[in-house]
Amino acid sequence: MQLNEFVQLKMSVSPENQSFRAVDIARLALDSANVGVWILDARSREFLPSDRTKALFGFLPEEKMSLEDALVKVADRHRKTVISAVEQAIKTHSNIYIECPVILPPEKKQRWLSITGGFSATDVSNDYFSGIVLDITEQKQNDLRRSKFIGMVSHELKTPLTALKAYIQMLNNWAKKQKDNFTIGALSKVEKQVKKMLQMINSLLNLSGAEAGKINLTKREFDMGDLITEVIEETMFITSSHNITVLPGASVSVNADRDKIEQVIVNLLSNAAKYSGKDDPIEVSCTKHEHTLTVSIHDHGMGISANDIEKLFLPHYRAESKEMEKITGFGIGLYLCSEIIKRHGGKIWVESEPGLGSTFKFTLPIN
Ligand code: ADP
């Protein structure tokens, strides 16, 4: 079936005159909502954009716009991610959900677009994707303002907390000299709470950095196995009711930003504990295959539905369910993890089944 025939088939239902009314109404609604529509033949890569889609990518209605033409307009730092999201959706027939900036000539203005779509229909020889494009520049600018504000506030909060931590350590040393067990116990509880607050503030600070497109990496060589052991010890105050097992694997040396990768593992491990029952086991592994290292964190908790999996790594996304109502969170941890891993040239994803648990995995390139 040709692409044009497919479009006609999708739009026409008998009786004919009624079908045209339905099409007209749909077109009118889409135009007035400034929504662009598109259809892609996944095999031939033939791309059929509406006039509004063309306009959003900076093309005139009479100009031709292929998929490649559209991708060229995507800002350099986002292009690779967009291409791999499209390829992945085509390969697995999954939905497309992309937010990316396009650069528009002549003054190189940046416009943020939201591109969503899904596998639409197939006959024996064709696979079609169809979807919509929206201008989300204003929303993105508001997000940026909000995240700058969060960044400023978090920074201000961090300074007194860091001082507090230092005083706790001094008091702790003093209490140890006095052999004052009550004070030692109380201070260790205060320290745990301060650590928790610092962790939250660091996440907020990183969020504002990530949203502004600023994740700076300071890479050095370190052993991933050592880092995993360290993180498990450091996060005992969150995960102590779970039995964490590190599966035997290779000792892998990697050149990456140790602090940022530590943050990723802390986030994934805390989530594994947070979203599974008390006493449920958690398994962590680190394996090496050719030029790639894979870290995997497996829990036996509530799991995630296929619908949520697609959006889990977007900022502020939280799955909705009865169980989730009792668990608090900002919905930024996974977004930060994915930004950090992407900046390293790696991949992050989750395999999960509701009720059976989840396995979060990330890869890093090794040389
Ligand atoms: P937060 O945990 O603060 O809500 P995250 O960004 O870390 O934010 O996670 C986003 C969402 O992903 C969570 O709200 C939850 O719905 C889901 N999630 C993350 N990790 C798990 C897990 N191990 N098991 C089940 N759901 C998870």
Side-chain angles (χ1 to χ4, degrees):
M1 194 193 296
Q2 290 301 303
L3 193 56
N4 276 329
E5 287 166 24
F6 168 74
V7 176
Q8 271 163 22
L9 183 79
K10 277 301 232 186
M11 287 185 164
S12 53
V13 249
S14 58
E16 221 168 68
N17 53 353
Q18 269 184 12
S19 79
F20 275 105
R21 271 193 58 206
V23 173
D24 288 343
I25 291 167
R27 187 170 298 137
L28 212 68
L30 289 169
D31 284 350
S32 49
N34 274 337
V35 178
V37 291
W38 54 269
I39 294 179
L40 171 73
D41 181 330
R43 294 195 191 184
S44 69
R45 304 293 161 107
E46 191 185 351
F47 187 59
L48 204 67
S50 70
D51 287 354
R52 176 67 187 156
T53 300
K54 286 186 187 175
L56 287 170
F57 278 88
F59 289 85
L60 296 169
E62 60 274 19
E63 283 181 304
K64 274 204 154 187
M65 181 181 117
S66 66
L67 182 61
E68 285 70 31
D69 295 331
L71 289 170
V72 166
K73 293 288 172 95
V74 174
D76 288 348
R77 68 175 199 284
H78 287 259
R79 194 173 301 117
K80 223 169 128 188
T81 319
V82 173
I83 293 173
S84 77
V86 173
E87 291 303 327
Q88 180 68 12
I90 289 175
K91 207 166 108 191
T92 58
H93 284 178
S94 54
N95 290 342
I96 294 176
Y97 192 92
I98 298 166
E99 286 186 358
C100 65
V102 289
I103 307 295
L104 303 178
E107 65 272 34
K108 300 215 158 149
K109 226 175 100 192
Q110 179 169 285
R111 172 186 289 152
W112 273 87
L113 299 181
S114 153
I115 305 159
T116 46
F119 181 59
S120 178
T122 184
D123 58 22
V124 183
S125 57
N126 301 74
D127 287 345
Y128 293 113
F129 275 85
S130 59
I132 59 167
V133 189
L134 283 171
D135 184 343
I136 53 163
T137 311
E138 208 168 306
Q139 182 195 325
K140 277 284 165 187
Q141 278 164 351
N142 285 339
D143 286 354
L144 209 61
R145 264 181 233 122
R146 191 209 55 226
S147 81
K148 271 189 186 154
F149 174 75
I150 293 176
M152 229 168 56
V153 174
S154 323
H155 192 74
E156 293 302 313
L157 284 172
K158 198 175 168 178
T159 318
L161 265 183
T162 312
L164 196 62
K165 204 172 149 201
Y167 279 112
I168 293 169
Q169 266 159 14
M170 274 163 56
L171 273 175
N172 206 8
N173 291 342
W174 178 82
K176 274 182 186 157
K177 271 191 201 145
Q178 304 298 314
K179 299 196 170 46
D180 180 349
N181 288 335
F182 172 77
T183 310
I184 294 171
L187 283 173
S188 118
K189 289 196 177 105
V190 176
E191 194 180 14
K192 275 179 197 167
Q193 298 305 324
V194 170
K195 265 192 186 169
K196 247 188 193 174
M197 278 169 83
L198 272 171
Q199 219 175 68
M200 283 193 250
I201 289 173
N202 277 336
S203 293
L204 289 173
L205 266 174
N206 287 324
L207 172 73
S208 75
E211 289 192 332
K214 284 186 249 156
I215 293 189
N216 298 319
L217 303 181
T218 313
K219 289 191 181 178
R220 65 188 159 106
E221 202 76 26
F222 64 90
D223 186 277
M224 186 59 83
D226 292 349
L227 179 63
I228 290 172
T229 315
E230 219 173 89
V231 172
I232 291 175
E233 278 166 17
E234 272 284 306
T235 51
M236 277 300 262
F237 66 94
I238 307 171
T239 56
S240 55
S241 62
H242 296 76
N243 183 15
I244 303 178
T245 319
V246 183
L247 303 178
S251 154
V252 186
S253 179
V254 61
N255 186 28
D257 187 320
R258 197 179 196 274
D259 292 344
K260 298 231 161 44
I261 298 298
E262 175 179 348
Q263 220 182 308
V264 172
I265 303 173
V266 167
N267 260 318
L268 298 181
L269 211 54
S270 320
N271 278 351
K274 190 161 131 186
Y275 297 106
S276 62
K278 213 167 156 277
D279 302 327
D280 278 351
I282 297 170
E283 289 103 32
V284 185
S285 75
C286 170
T287 50
K288 179 179 158 186
H289 181 68
E290 291 175 355
H291 297 296
T292 308
L293 162 162
T294 306
V295 174
S296 145
I297 296 175
H298 176 60
D299 67 61
H300 298 254
M302 63 170 74
I304 307 160
S305 71
N307 213 12
D308 287 319
I309 284 181
E310 285 167 21
K311 301 171 195 146
L312 223 53
F313 295 92
L314 296 175
H316 305 292
Y317 189 82
R318 303 200 75 221
E320 279 178 23
S321 69
K322 259 227 127 15
E323 289 161 293
M324 282 294 294
E325 282 170 17
K326 293 173 236 139
I327 308 172
T328 55
F330 295 126
I332 55 174
L334 289 183
Y335 166 68
L336 284 175
C337 292
S338 89
E339 289 299 303
I340 291 171
I341 297 300
K342 274 193 275 179
R343 279 284 284 124
H344 278 87
K347 277 191 197 155
I348 183 164
W349 72 100
V350 58
E351 291 155 11
S352 182
E353 278 213 34
L356 292 181
S358 314
T359 310
F360 280 85
K361 292 186 182 178
F362 71 83
T363 61
L364 288 175
I366 40 175
N367 276 317

